[in-house]
Amino acid sequence: MYQLDIANQQELLPVNESELEKVVHLLLNEEQVAAAEISLVLVDNPTLRELNIQYLNHDYDTDVLSFLLEEEQLEVLDSPRRGAGKRIEGELIISTEMAIERAPEYKWSAENEFILYLIHGILHLLGYDDLTDEERMLMREREQAVLTLCGLELPASTPNE
C-alpha cells in the first residue's frame, strides 16, 4: 500500500527510519491516499541548493524539494483531502543541515524540524501548495493535523512563511 525508500546521504542528523515510516504512514492514512511510493533522499545544504538550481532554476537554499512523478485517481471519495483515493509516486529531497540550522529559531529540535519538512514535502506531492495566503493557511492546518497525530505541535512561528 505505502512504500518509503530512504537514501541517507548525510551524516549531520541521525535519523530513525522506522519513525520516518510511521510519520509517512500516518500522513498518507490521514489524507486517505490509496497507495504511494515515495523516495526520500537526505542531503546537506550545498547538495540541495545545487539540485534547486538544476531542476527549478532557483539559486537559493531551501529545506525540501518535492517531485511528483506519477499520480492516478484510483477511487473517488467524498473527502476534502487532496490525496483521497489517489495513488502517487514521488521523490522528496530534504536538507537535514537546514533542519539543524533552523530548529533553534523555532525553539524545537532538529528532528522535529526535519519531520515538518517531511510532512510539508508530502503534502506538496498530494497537491497542497503555499503560494497564496489561502493555500498557505490550508497547508499549515494540514501540517498541524499530521504533527498532532505524531504527538507534536507546530511552533508559533513556522518556517516557509
Side-chain angles (χ1 to χ4, degrees):
M1 189 156 129
Y2 303 142
Q3 180 179 335
L4 177 65
D5 296 316
I6 301 170
N8 189 354
Q9 299 177 359
Q10 58 82 50
E11 296 179 356
L12 301 169
L13 183 70
V15 293
N16 180 330
E17 292 189 11
S18 64
E19 281 299 310
L20 298 182
E21 288 178 9
K22 178 181 168 188
V23 170
V24 170
H25 282 101
L26 283 170
L27 190 161
L28 295 173
N29 279 327
E30 174 69 11
E31 285 295 317
Q32 301 173 316
V33 174
E37 288 181 42
I38 298 172
S39 295
L40 172 60
V41 184
L42 313 180
V43 298
D44 59 14
N45 283 348
T47 302
L48 194 56
R49 184 181 189 120
E50 184 180 307
L51 294 169
N52 203 16
I53 293 168
Q54 180 181 347
Y55 290 106
L56 301 177
N57 204 27
H58 296 162
D59 190 7
Y60 53 80
D61 289 332
T62 191
D63 45 20
V64 58
L65 293 177
S66 300
F67 298 100
L68 180 63
L69 305 174
E70 203 172 302
E71 175 184 65
E72 180 181 7
Q73 191 72 45
L74 295 182
E75 53 185 313
V76 177
L77 302 175
D78 183 22
S79 171
R81 304 290 177 251
R82 294 192 179 166
K86 289 183 181 176
R87 182 191 67 75
I88 63 161
E89 184 179 329
E91 183 168 4
L92 299 177
I93 308 167
I94 299 177
S95 171
T96 57
E97 184 175 0
M98 181 72 70
I100 292 166
E101 291 173 0
R102 304 275 318 261
E105 250 179 271
Y106 304 106
K107 298 176 178 62
W108 69 347
S109 72
E111 292 81 7
N112 289 351
E113 184 75 3
F114 175 82
I115 293 297
L116 176 60
Y117 298 167
L118 177 62
I119 292 167
H120 186 84
I122 293 173
L123 289 173
H124 274 305
L125 293 178
L126 297 176
Y128 292 90
D129 214 332
D130 50 10
L131 298 177
T132 67
D133 289 342
E134 185 178 331
E135 282 291 307
R136 192 171 12 269
M137 211 164 73
L138 180 59
M139 175 74 88
R140 296 296 171 262
E141 288 172 12
R142 298 311 307 139
E143 287 170 348
Q144 182 55 68
V146 177
L147 285 168
T148 298
L149 289 174
C150 298
L152 301 172
E153 188 172 321
L154 200 58
S157 290
T158 58
N160 303 320
E161 295 197 356

